[in-house]
Amino acid sequence: GNSVTQMEGPVTLSEEAFLTINCTYTATGYPSLFWYVQYPGEGLQLLLKATKADDKGSNKGFEATYRKETTSFHLEKGSVQVSDSAVYFCALTFTGGGNKLTFGTGTQLKVEL
Amino acid sequence: DAGVTQSPTHLIKTRGQQVTLRCSPKSGHDTVSWYQQALGQGPQFIFQYYEEEERQRGNFPDRFSGHQFPNYSSELNVNALLLGDSALYLCASSTGPGGGSYEQYFGPGTRLTVT
């Protein structure tokens, strides 16, 4: 079956540090890939997406590149802020799959001053 | 433009009871999916409704059932509640399965506690 694996958290960084959260997937075929963010006490917000190999999704300074050869979609940000503290989820879905999302377990990010 | 709304925000039930959770999709969306998010875990797909029919179902028992109304809003029903049903229940809306958009918009969730 399809699955998503994320690096375990929590990840604790100082403000302005570089962020990488690893995500790899297992799937038959070529899924669309997403990063969602969940702030404390809230639902999920779509952060960025990529629908085909070598696509780069970007939003709010975050980036992720769809790497078919390594089945990865790592999330990066050059300079994190305290306001980026949240839980980040990597997810996949398939064309014709009715938009059903398969999520990783999430990675908690804590950014300190 | 109203986003996805869910009610209630929080709910406390006793084992064996039944519960109904409600969801209104984002304007322009006709497909509703439900997810269960246990504490510290990623959301797990329960089922999806489109054109008032269940189109896909995840690995959840028949105690979990749903409904979609003509205005696209949806309900999630859980019967014979177990302690393990305690979770955040998320509703997500999107355009139809053939609509070409893969983006799902999530509501804030309903926190269900079973005691």
Side-chain angles (χ1 to χ4, degrees), chain A residues 9-14 17 108-112:
Chain A
V11 173
T12 303
L13 296 173
S14 298
Q108 184 177 13
L109 170 65
K110 297 180 181 179
V111 181
E112 302 173 335

CSV table of all heavy atoms in Angstrom, one decimal, chain A residues 9-14 17 108-112:
chain,number,residue,atom,x,y,z
A,9,GLY,N,10.0,13.9,15.4
A,9,GLY,CA,10.3,15.2,16.1
A,9,GLY,C,10.4,14.9,17.6
A,9,GLY,O,10.4,13.7,18.0
A,10,PRO,N,10.4,15.9,18.4
A,10,PRO,CA,10.4,17.3,17.9
A,10,PRO,C,11.7,17.8,17.4
A,10,PRO,O,12.8,17.3,17.8
A,10,PRO,CB,9.9,18.1,19.1
A,10,PRO,CG,10.4,17.3,20.3
A,10,PRO,CD,10.3,15.8,19.9
A,11,VAL,N,11.6,18.7,16.4
A,11,VAL,CA,12.8,19.4,15.9
A,11,VAL,C,12.8,20.8,16.6
A,11,VAL,O,11.9,21.5,16.5
A,11,VAL,CB,12.7,19.6,14.4
A,11,VAL,CG1,13.9,20.4,13.9
A,11,VAL,CG2,12.7,18.2,13.7
A,12,THR,N,13.9,21.1,17.3
A,12,THR,CA,14.0,22.3,18.0
A,12,THR,C,15.2,23.2,17.3
A,12,THR,O,16.3,22.7,17.2
A,12,THR,CB,14.3,22.1,19.5
A,12,THR,OG1,13.3,21.3,20.0
A,12,THR,CG2,14.4,23.5,20.2
A,13,LEU,N,14.8,24.4,16.9
A,13,LEU,CA,15.8,25.2,16.2
A,13,LEU,C,15.8,26.6,16.8
A,13,LEU,O,14.7,27.1,17.4
A,13,LEU,CB,15.5,25.3,14.7
A,13,LEU,CG,15.5,24.1,13.9
A,13,LEU,CD1,15.0,24.4,12.5
A,13,LEU,CD2,17.0,23.6,13.9
A,14,SER,N,16.8,27.3,16.7
A,14,SER,CA,16.9,28.7,17.0
A,14,SER,C,16.3,29.6,15.9
A,14,SER,O,16.4,29.1,14.7
A,14,SER,CB,18.3,29.2,17.4
A,14,SER,OG,18.8,28.4,18.4
A,17,ALA,N,17.5,29.9,12.0
A,17,ALA,CA,18.2,28.7,11.5
A,17,ALA,C,17.6,28.1,10.3
A,17,ALA,O,16.5,28.4,9.9
A,17,ALA,CB,18.2,27.6,12.7
A,108,GLN,N,6.9,17.7,14.7
A,108,GLN,CA,6.7,18.9,15.5
A,108,GLN,C,8.0,19.8,15.4
A,108,GLN,O,9.1,19.3,15.6
A,108,GLN,CB,6.4,18.6,16.9
A,108,GLN,CG,6.1,19.9,17.7
A,108,GLN,CD,5.7,19.6,19.2
A,108,GLN,OE1,5.9,18.5,19.6
A,108,GLN,NE2,5.2,20.6,19.8
A,109,LEU,N,7.8,21.0,15.0
A,109,LEU,CA,8.9,22.0,15.0
A,109,LEU,C,8.7,23.0,16.1
A,109,LEU,O,7.6,23.6,16.2
A,109,LEU,CB,8.9,22.7,13.6
A,109,LEU,CG,9.8,23.9,13.5
A,109,LEU,CD1,11.3,23.5,13.6
A,109,LEU,CD2,9.6,24.7,12.2
A,110,LYS,N,9.8,23.2,16.9
A,110,LYS,CA,9.8,24.3,17.9
A,110,LYS,C,10.9,25.2,17.5
A,110,LYS,O,12.1,24.8,17.4
A,110,LYS,CB,10.0,23.7,19.3
A,110,LYS,CG,8.9,22.7,19.7
A,110,LYS,CD,9.2,22.2,21.1
A,110,LYS,CE,8.2,21.2,21.6
A,110,LYS,NZ,8.5,20.7,22.9
A,111,VAL,N,10.6,26.5,17.4
A,111,VAL,CA,11.6,27.5,17.1
A,111,VAL,C,11.7,28.4,18.3
A,111,VAL,O,10.7,29.0,18.8
A,111,VAL,CB,11.2,28.3,15.9
A,111,VAL,CG1,12.3,29.4,15.6
A,111,VAL,CG2,11.0,27.4,14.7
A,112,GLU,N,12.9,28.6,18.8
A,112,GLU,CA,13.1,29.4,20.0
A,112,GLU,C,13.9,30.6,19.7
A,112,GLU,O,14.7,30.7,18.7
A,112,GLU,CB,13.9,28.6,21.1
A,112,GLU,CG,13.2,27.3,21.5
A,112,GLU,CD,14.0,26.4,22.3
A,112,GLU,OE1,15.2,26.5,22.3
A,112,GLU,OE2,13.4,25.6,23.1
